[in-house]
Amino acid sequence: MGIEKRTAFVSGASRGIGKAVALKLAEMGFKVIINYSSSENQAKQVLEQIENFGGEGRLACFDVTDRKACKDEFKKITEIEKRLDILVHSAGIRKDGLAVRMKDENWDRVIDVNLTAFFNLAKPAVKLMLKNKWGRILGISSTSGQAGVPGQINYSASKAGLIGAIKSLSKEIGPRNITVNALSPGFIETEMTDSLDKEEIVKTIPLQRFGTAVEVAAVAGFLCSEEASYITGQVIGINGGIY
């Protein structure tokens, strides 16, 4: 690990899977930069939880679709933390609707947040990781990006595109000891799934329940560890048996 404290950046870390991942990485000893765009109170609560068990972190409020804001944040990371070891792109949104009725802005926004933002963050992150010849990059995809879901052409496309970007990037930077992987959760208990008909969905899941953000974070923690140093370019399903 070296003398300097290692640093992790988690987008969308104020709630849901992002929050669970941020807490897990802090427990592992990483200083965690908690990114959020609007949920300030929730982000502050995440930081408070981290500090309560002796961890270290800081807040980073900006929209990850804003390329200039991303560049400004990584300049700050270079000046303050002086290194970045882990990038987790967890920020994600849904704006469901049938393709023929979908508003153009709902396509654009979902693609921007779920996919383009990964590029906005990964490009400057890789530059920092290359200096230390060590890094872990994770993108939170979805089973929707592997199988497709009616009414989610924008969401499914964004998550499928994320998988493609991750596979390509893993081949580009693997020789520099930087791994790049995707997590592909199924139905997880988060605010994003609150509006779903859970009673009917559970019937389609072999394990007969929704997963938890903590279960996703456990896999993320492993992929960010030294023990996962030979795993890259992979899509790891956390889906209760749905394929």
Side-chain angles (χ1 to χ4, degrees):
M1 296 284 283
I3 297 174
E4 296 179 343
K5 188 179 186 71
R6 287 194 167 180
T7 303
F9 179 98
V10 183
S11 71
S14 63
R15 54 190 176 179
I17 291 173
K19 172 184 176 179
V21 171
L23 293 173
K24 179 64 177 180
L25 294 176
E27 290 174 0
M28 293 170 63
F30 292 92
K31 177 180 180 180
V32 181
I33 300 171
I34 302 160
N35 166 255
Y36 67 101
S37 62
S38 60
S39 305
E40 183 176 6
N41 289 335
Q42 291 171 298
K44 287 181 177 179
Q45 290 172 10
V46 176
L47 179 58
E48 184 178 350
Q49 283 183 259
I50 288 173
E51 292 176 341
N52 283 344
F53 59 69
E56 185 179 354
R58 70 171 174 85
L59 302 178
C61 178
F62 65 93
D63 186 336
V64 289
T65 67
D66 184 336
R67 194 158 290 163
K68 182 180 183 304
C70 292
K71 291 179 180 178
D72 290 344
E73 172 58 30
F74 277 84
K75 181 179 179 181
K76 187 181 295 185
I77 291 172
T78 302
E79 294 171 350
I80 298 175
E81 285 80 24
K82 296 180 173 56
R83 62 183 297 154
L84 184 74
D85 304 281
I86 292 174
L87 168 66
V88 180
H89 179 46
S90 181
I93 60 170
R94 281 175 44 215
K95 290 184 179 294
D96 297 348
L98 296 176
V100 295
R101 297 176 182 172
M102 183 170 289
K103 296 179 180 179
D104 292 347
E105 56 265 31
N106 287 349
W107 170 274
D108 293 341
R109 183 60 180 166
V110 170
I111 295 295
D112 284 349
V113 174
N114 297 357
L115 177 57
T116 304
F118 175 76
F119 173 75
N120 294 346
L121 296 169
K123 183 177 180 179
V126 167
K127 291 179 180 178
L128 284 174
M129 293 177 182
L130 288 173
K131 293 180 180 179
N132 295 316
K133 296 183 180 180
W134 195 97
R136 301 284 187 265
I137 297 176
L138 295 180
I140 307 300
S141 184
S142 168
T143 52
S144 297
Q146 295 177 283
V149 174
Q152 288 191 337
I153 186 173
N154 51 357
Y155 186 76
S156 296
S158 69
K159 295 300 187 178
L162 182 59
I163 289 172
I166 283 169
K167 286 181 173 292
S168 294
L169 186 59
S170 70
K171 294 179 178 180
E172 289 184 16
I173 60 179
R176 301 303 292 272
N177 197 32
I178 303 170
T179 66
V180 192
N181 292 290
L183 297 184
S184 182
F187 292 100
I188 306 297
E189 290 279 3
T190 66
E191 291 181 21
M192 190 179 286
T193 60
D194 283 346
S195 62
L196 300 179
D197 186 346
K198 296 181 182 179
E199 187 174 338
E200 288 301 313
I201 290 172
V202 162
K203 296 176 183 178
T204 69
I205 303 172
L207 288 185
Q208 295 288 286
R209 66 175 178 86
F210 274 43
T212 68
V214 171
E215 289 173 313
V216 178
V219 181
F222 170 69
L223 289 175
C224 289
S225 70
E226 291 286 0
E227 288 78 7
S229 60
Y230 201 56
I231 301 173
T232 195
Q234 303 303 306
V235 182
I236 310 297
I238 309 157
N239 55 32
I242 292 176
Y243 293 98

